Amino acid sequence: IKPRKMLAYFIAIIFGILLPIIFISLRDLFSDTIKSKIDLLNSTKIPILGLIGHSDNARSLVVSTSSKSIIAESFRSLRTNIQYLAADKAKKVLTVTSSVGGEGKTFTAINLAAIFALSGHKTILIGGDLRKPKLHEDFKVDATKGLSSFLINKSNLSEVIAKTEIDSLDVIASGPTPPNPAELLDSLKMKELIMELNKTYDYVIIDTPPIGLVTDGVILMQYSDVNLYVVRHNYSKAKTLGIINNLYNQEQVKNVHIIINDFK
């Protein structure tokens, strides 16, 4: 009579199917990671501007070296969409921020600046993250001079503006890490710098610190015509959108749009 092989196989198949389904369902039920566009729409009312695909490139700057890639097309689409925002402004100031580190805001800012420059727009990228400077590594510029040294009057503007490998793209690195980054970014000199650059450049793009950790990014967003908020697919948590949702609902920042990064 025993063993009853068919019954054993049937039970094994049922358990083999049911257990993974139960496990996956429970995991997804209790997870607050953004795994789809629906998850994002359920977490925020902020409009989604576009998607950026996954990149396997080791370099942060990919649009100039891989002009026919999906990534480059993603940024071209973003460039087109951004041109419709703040349409009354001939020259625009943009900020790029996120909730926490690792979501790809610097990657987005670098390639967005590059794609505008490659289309002939005179563009400057500012490293507004004074706490964790990164732009000097990506563009191989002097880390001892930058935004922080300019704001404390140790460097003049011509000294901190660096040329890049792209003709129409200039960059201002973050400079040495100061003890009071929030105060420097909230200073009158920072506001005057953005106004001055806005006269010269078609696009001023500021890479800001994550607003989920410090207030520096919110300060810079108030100077901007368009604010871009980066959410990374399969990485960002829904609860971290709370700060930007509050700013958006209370109308403390204007013209906020979400970019989904590393979309698979």
Side-chain angles (χ1 to χ4, degrees), residues 218 221-222 227 244 247-248 250-256:
V218 180
M221 290 170 79
Q222 294 172 353
N227 296 295
I244 193 67
L247 293 171
Y248 178 77
Q250 295 170 13
E251 298 182 352
Q252 293 185 32
V253 292
K254 57 185 178 180
N255 224 349
V256 185

Side-chain angles (χ1 to χ4, degrees), residues 169-201:
L169 178 60
D170 295 339
V171 62
I172 298 178
S174 302
T177 304
N180 57 338
E183 287 76 11
L184 290 179
L185 295 176
D186 200 20
S187 65
L188 179 61
K189 188 158 188 177
M190 182 67 200
K191 186 176 181 179
E192 290 173 346
L193 170 65
I194 294 173
M195 292 173 64
E196 184 64 29
L197 293 173
N198 198 23
K199 295 175 185 176
T200 311
Y201 292 89

